[in-house]
Amino acid sequence: DQKLLHARTNKTLSDHDGRYIKRFIQPHINKFPELQRATAQARMGVFISDTHSLFMDPFYWESFLAFCEDAEPDVIGLVADHVDGSEISTHPHVPGFTTNLQLELDMFKAMVTEIRERVPASTRIVLVGDNHFFDRLTRYLTQVSRALAGLRSLKIDALMGLDELDVELAMGGSFVSPTGQEDSRPYLRLWDRFNMTHGTKLGVNPALQELRSWNTSGVSGHVHRDQIMRGPVAGLRRQIWMSLGSGVIDEVAKYYVKGAGPAWSRAWGIIEM
């Protein structure tokens, strides 16, 4: 009886999955209205944040690559925290959740190489500063290895090999920033009206807080939770801010997020300007 009940339950679940796929998924397969630009002058950006190196969800990454290959966006925004920096972190170094730093840098290069193989040569790839690798490297060099802090080879663009990858970088605000960006804010202005930054706001409405902080449309990551907010007052009525979900597996949170678990989502974002 238990075997029959178990088999019946599995069939019911399977039938339900089939109905769900037929109704909600199949109508959208290979039907991306985003691939058709609104006008010939329209520009598309695709933004991805918080993959945290080897903690990345592989299905999430493959879906992102597949869309970029089909959509051929004008700009791909790497909204930071793609190198985790767990080995130089002040967080507890949990066995199995601490990755060799050189391996993380190699993985980042492999990610950018995969993107380059899928998109036209004219596609811009841009990267902004973050609170994991960028800030952790700054703290490590000032608090642990001060004698190494002045080495030009430890500049962030040299460490990540961004010149050979043809990646534009906006990582201002630190002595490890690229030459000339040491006093700049870690953000990038796209199309003269759209800001891309990793973000610093937390809480229930991080997208709204970022919008009020920057007073313009833009995109950020950091919170691992997707959210879109429109300007709440007359002066910001035409502005929209998008907070991106992450690309990281939830298992990594169990050592750092207390309570019932993280309210994370997996999402990358698309804009058309």
Side-chain angles (χ1 to χ4, degrees):
D1 289 347
Q2 287 182 336
K3 288 182 179 180
L4 288 172
L5 182 61
H6 182 67
R8 188 186 306 161
T9 300
N10 284 341
K11 186 177 185 307
T12 300
L13 292 173
S14 179
D15 291 345
H16 171 77
D17 290 345
R19 291 192 299 270
Y20 184 91
I21 290 172
K22 184 176 180 180
R23 181 178 177 185
F24 295 107
I25 296 179
Q26 285 183 345
H28 302 285
I29 293 176
N30 295 328
K31 294 180 181 178
F32 293 110
E34 297 86 353
L35 301 185
Q36 302 298 321
R37 310 297 170 90
T39 68
Q41 291 76 34
R43 294 293 175 261
M44 180 188 293
V46 182
F47 300 90
I48 181 174
S49 181
D50 295 273
T51 58
H52 291 274
S53 193
L54 272 71
F55 302 135
M56 179 172 62
D57 181 338
F59 176 81
Y60 169 92
W61 177 244
E62 285 300 325
S63 69
F64 170 77
L65 288 177
F67 182 83
C68 289
E69 184 174 15
D70 288 341
E72 298 184 351
D74 301 282
V75 173
I76 293 177
L78 305 177
V79 194
D81 277 0
H82 299 294
V83 176
D84 188 69
S86 57
E87 199 171 44
I88 55 174
S89 170
T90 56
H91 283 294
H93 289 192
V94 181
F97 287 84
T98 302
T99 308
N100 177 273
L101 183 58
Q102 185 59 58
L103 181 60
E104 290 196 30
L105 293 171
D106 291 343
M107 181 170 176
F108 176 78
K109 289 184 179 180
M111 289 168 62
V112 176
T113 300
E114 281 194 296
I115 295 173
R116 282 283 177 220
E117 291 172 348
R118 303 281 192 104
V119 299
S122 59
T123 300
R124 292 174 65 192
I125 300 180
V126 294
L127 173 68
V128 291
D130 57 34
N131 67 301
H132 271 246
F133 179 49
F134 185 62
D135 286 354
R136 285 174 176 179
L137 178 63
T138 301
R139 285 195 298 270
Y140 187 84
L141 290 175
T142 54
Q143 299 175 18
V144 180
S145 298
R146 288 190 294 272
L148 303 178
L151 293 177
R152 286 190 294 272
S153 59
L154 293 183
K155 287 278 191 177
I156 203 80
D157 49 340
L159 271 177
M160 301 181 80
L162 297 181
D163 286 343
E164 63 182 273
L165 296 172
D166 192 21
V167 173
E168 299 176 42
L169 181 66
M171 280 197 176
S174 168
F175 63 91
V176 298
S177 297
T179 302
Q181 293 188 26
E182 291 87 352
D183 297 323
S184 303
R185 296 179 73 184
Y187 82 103
L188 196 66
R189 185 78 164 168
L190 297 172
W191 301 300
D192 296 323
R193 56 177 296 192
F194 186 87
N195 283 1
M196 169 183 159
T197 182
H198 183 59
T200 58
K201 308 303 182 184
L202 302 172
V204 178
N205 292 309
L208 180 59
Q209 293 183 63
E210 295 287 357
L211 175 58
R212 284 175 165 166
S213 174
W214 292 95
N215 289 311
T216 187
S217 293
V219 61
S220 60
H222 187 47
V223 293
H224 295 205
R225 191 170 70 253
D226 59 291
Q227 188 177 80
I228 296 177
M229 297 297 292
R230 185 178 295 276
V233 296
L236 296 176
R237 186 176 296 134
R238 294 181 179 273
Q239 310 302 327
I240 299 176
W241 195 278
M242 176 167 55
S243 174
L244 298 170
S246 73
V248 72
I249 55 175
D250 287 344
E251 286 80 357
V252 72
K254 63 183 179 182
Y255 292 106
Y256 308 110
V257 179
K258 306 303 180 185
W264 291 353
S265 60
R266 293 180 185 85
W268 36 268
I270 309 161
I271 71 153
E272 189 173 355
M273 186 70 70

